[in-house]
């Protein structure tokens, strides 16, 4: 009888797992694709497909939380951390967006979709420190 999963195959699989485990920078092949600089432009290009154009979120293959009327956005640090590092179905965007772009999109969602958190805006320096 032929054995499909040999010790050599197992060892080769283990060698590949670390490369697969942290693919956060491989979500997008090239940063040059994301040239949008405004929060709204970045949101429409990157975020709206999951969180929806109106920020209402969606449920389907995964659950994408609503950004509309979201009290967790009161603190910019929270949104910066999630945008940089991702969570659940949301990919980390640290390798795709620079500090200015992340600050812009965080400030956009904090002041759009019924959110009214214009005070204490995210800054590129805050993003850099969180990276």
């Amino acid at each position: 009888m032929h054995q499909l999963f040999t010790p050599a195959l197992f060892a080769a699989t283990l060698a590949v797992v670390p490369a697969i485990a942290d693919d956060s920078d491989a979500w997008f092949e090239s940063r040059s694709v994301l040239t949008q600089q405004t929060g709204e432009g970045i949101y429409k290009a990157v975020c709206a497909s999951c969180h929806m154009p109106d920020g209402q979120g969606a449920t389907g293959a995964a659950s994408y939380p609503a950004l509309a009327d979201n009290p967790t956005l009161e603190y910019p640090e929270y949104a910066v951390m999630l945008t940089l590092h991702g969570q659940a179905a949301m990919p980390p965007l640290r390798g795709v967006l620079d500090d200015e772009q992340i600050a812009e999109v965080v400030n956009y969602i904090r002041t759009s979709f019924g959110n009214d958190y214009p005070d204490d805006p995210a800054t590129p320096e805050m993003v850099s420190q969180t990276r």
Side-chain angles (χ1 to χ4, degrees), residues 1-71:
M1 190 158 109
H2 183 62
Q3 187 177 10
L4 293 176
F5 203 71
T6 65
L9 181 58
F10 181 72
T13 302
L14 287 179
V16 173
V17 170
I20 294 171
D22 183 14
D23 64 350
S24 60
D25 292 328
W27 279 89
F28 301 95
E29 290 294 318
S30 171
R31 241 192 82 189
S32 66
V33 174
L34 299 174
T35 58
Q36 295 79 6
Q37 294 299 311
T38 67
E40 182 178 16
I42 295 164
Y43 183 86
K44 287 179 178 180
V46 180
C47 314
S49 60
C50 295
H51 294 285
M52 300 294 109
D54 59 1
Q56 292 298 315
T59 301
S63 180
Y64 306 99
L67 299 176
D69 298 313
N70 189 328

